[in-house]
Amino acid sequence: MEQEDDSSPCFAHTLVDGHVVDPQTRHDVSVFRKSNRQRLYALRQKPTLEARQSAAKNIADQLGTILDDISGKTIAAYWPIRGELDLRPWMEKAIEQGAKIALPVVVEKNHPVEFHLWTPDCKMTIGYWRIPVPADAVAVTPDIIIVPLLGVDKEQFRLGNGGGYYDRTLAQLPSAMTIGVGQSFAKMDTIYPMPWDIPMQRIVLADT
């Protein structure tokens, strides 16, 4: 194969998910986010089980007010990991109120997730990152997406676990209502959003 002229500009190393990003900026933002993830993970471990349950109930109460009538709606929620608030009691209540609940499922690494229908009694299996997912894959398109967050800034950009799966997915679901949920200590001035980051439409933090 003929070697390309070294003088020809090549920007491939600056492309991330189709966006041109300065490598040094990307590195600096990555370091900043990693440091804040560690800080926020540590804060998640401090509350007692009772305090976390109280925070989850507070979030559930706020969701009930924001969403009002959810009958006939398909809502993507999440299975709690790494100290995330457990909204499964609210998910069960939502089903009783006529909503359908789905969980995010990684079907291919570094690609958008699918949302598979979940019920309290459905059979579960172990998915990517050893997160439980519905064993019977019934994919649906959600009307509302409840997104767990570690941190969130003033522009409603969320700091998550760092995999980028939600941003890839939300980019393909522009009509879905997005609600980021987390603890009260999640507030940050900025996460230094990158071109692929997608802000939440609503933020619900535990008022404890």
Side-chain angles (χ1 to χ4, degrees), residues 50-126:
E50 182 179 18
R52 289 197 296 271
Q53 291 174 335
S54 176
K57 183 180 183 305
N58 180 264
I59 292 289
D61 290 344
Q62 293 186 66
L63 289 175
T65 299
I66 292 170
L67 297 177
D68 194 21
D69 183 9
I70 55 176
S71 178
K73 299 290 186 180
T74 299
I75 304 173
Y78 62 90
W79 191 275
I81 62 169
R82 305 188 73 171
E84 292 170 346
L85 295 176
D86 187 354
L87 297 183
R88 284 174 293 182
W90 175 82
M91 291 155 58
E92 293 183 20
K93 184 177 179 181
I95 291 174
E96 293 172 358
Q97 294 174 344
K100 294 180 179 179
I101 294 293
L103 297 178
V105 179
V106 175
V107 293
E108 186 174 354
K109 188 176 181 180
N110 296 328
H111 282 69
V113 303
E114 290 185 356
F115 295 102
H116 294 176
L117 282 180
W118 172 89
T119 62
D121 57 354
C122 77
K123 184 179 179 181
M124 303 290 283
T125 188
I126 299 300

Side-chain angles (χ1 to χ4, degrees), residues 44 47 51-52 55 59 83 85 149-150 181-187 204-206 208:
R44 271 187 178 176
R52 289 197 296 271
I59 292 289
L85 295 176
L149 57 83
L150 259 175
V181 300
Q183 294 277 20
S184 57
F185 52 71
K187 295 178 182 178
V204 180
L205 301 181
T208 57

Side-chain angles (χ1 to χ4, degrees), residues 137-193:
V138 180
V140 294
T141 301
D143 303 299
I144 302 163
I145 305 176
I146 309 296
V147 186
L149 57 83
L150 259 175
V152 62
D153 70 14
K154 296 176 180 179
E155 302 300 320
Q156 300 193 160
F157 287 98
R158 63 179 281 277
L159 182 69
N161 293 321
Y165 286 94
Y166 271 111
D167 289 314
R168 294 187 188 97
T169 305
L170 296 181
Q172 296 190 349
L173 297 170
S175 64
M177 179 182 184
T178 56
I179 305 176
V181 300
Q183 294 277 20
S184 57
F185 52 71
K187 295 178 182 178
M188 303 170 60
D189 286 336
T190 182
I191 69 163
Y192 294 102

